[in-house]
Amino acid sequence: MAEIKYEILEKIGVLTESGRGWRKELNLISWNDRAPKYDLREWSPDGEKMGKGITLSKEDLVALKEILDRMDL
Amino acid sequence: MAEIKYEILEKIGVLTESGRGWRKELNLISWNDRAPKYDLREWSPDGEKMGKGITLSKEDLVALKEILDRMDL
């Protein structure tokens, strides 16, 4: 499998941690030396392995914030 | 490949739509008849195909809201 090159430019926040120690994190990541994107993803306890996630633009975050603001959380 | 059974219980909001018409959506989904989870994921224009995403608990959403609130968006 080809290697994915990435650099975490900013650790923005940790949402929660699972029983196994995996953390859901919002980070700013550059993938393959491309322009950085926001990234919501699970990471292993040592931060070496990445789980499922989704890359998000600033526009996505603004829209997500508006959606969360109108939810009854 | 095994089939994934899912039911979208609530369409909460659409974040953005890409040029190809795929939408990033926050939904409440039951996977394989299990308890519903929040789900942030890309969906094809016809809503038939799902892309990458992450399931989130209510606790995740509360934490995410706090993180987004303190960002300069």
Side-chain angles (χ1 to χ4, degrees):
Chain A
M1 212 169 91
E3 201 163 303
I4 296 172
K5 186 178 169 188
Y6 69 92
E7 186 182 1
I8 298 178
L9 300 179
E10 188 187 346
K11 287 184 163 281
I12 300 169
V14 176
L15 280 62
T16 56
E17 187 171 321
S18 77
R20 301 166 302 146
W22 283 62
R23 290 184 302 274
K24 284 181 184 145
E25 301 182 359
L26 180 66
N27 296 313
L28 186 65
I29 298 183
S30 168
W31 301 93
N32 293 315
D33 291 325
R34 295 208 192 95
K37 291 184 177 180
Y38 294 104
D39 185 88
L40 186 60
R41 184 174 306 278
E42 273 202 304
W43 292 86
S44 65
D46 60 7
E48 289 294 312
K49 286 191 284 287
M50 60 177 73
K52 289 180 184 174
I54 186 171
T55 60
L56 299 164
S57 64
K58 183 166 180 175
E59 194 186 355
D60 286 323
L61 290 189
V62 170
L64 184 56
K65 184 177 181 321
E66 284 170 8
I67 291 167
L68 294 175
D69 279 346
R70 69 167 193 257
M71 288 176 75
D72 184 25
L73 290 171
Chain B
M1 211 166 88
E3 198 163 304
I4 297 171
K5 187 179 168 186
Y6 69 93
E7 185 183 2
I8 298 178
L9 301 178
E10 187 187 347
K11 287 186 163 278
I12 300 170
V14 176
L15 280 61
T16 56
E17 187 172 322
S18 76
R20 302 165 302 144
W22 283 61
R23 289 185 302 274
K24 282 181 184 146
E25 301 181 2
L26 180 66
N27 296 313
L28 185 66
I29 298 183
S30 167
W31 301 92
N32 294 314
D33 291 323
R34 296 207 192 95
K37 291 185 178 181
Y38 294 103
D39 185 88
L40 186 60
R41 185 173 304 279
E42 272 202 306
W43 293 86
S44 64
D46 61 6
E48 289 294 312
K49 286 192 285 285
M50 60 179 72
K52 289 180 184 174
I54 186 170
T55 60
L56 299 164
S57 65
K58 184 166 178 173
E59 194 185 355
D60 286 323
L61 291 190
V62 170
L64 184 56
K65 184 176 180 322
E66 283 170 8
I67 290 168
L68 294 176
D69 279 345
R70 68 168 194 256
M71 287 177 74
D72 183 26
L73 291 172

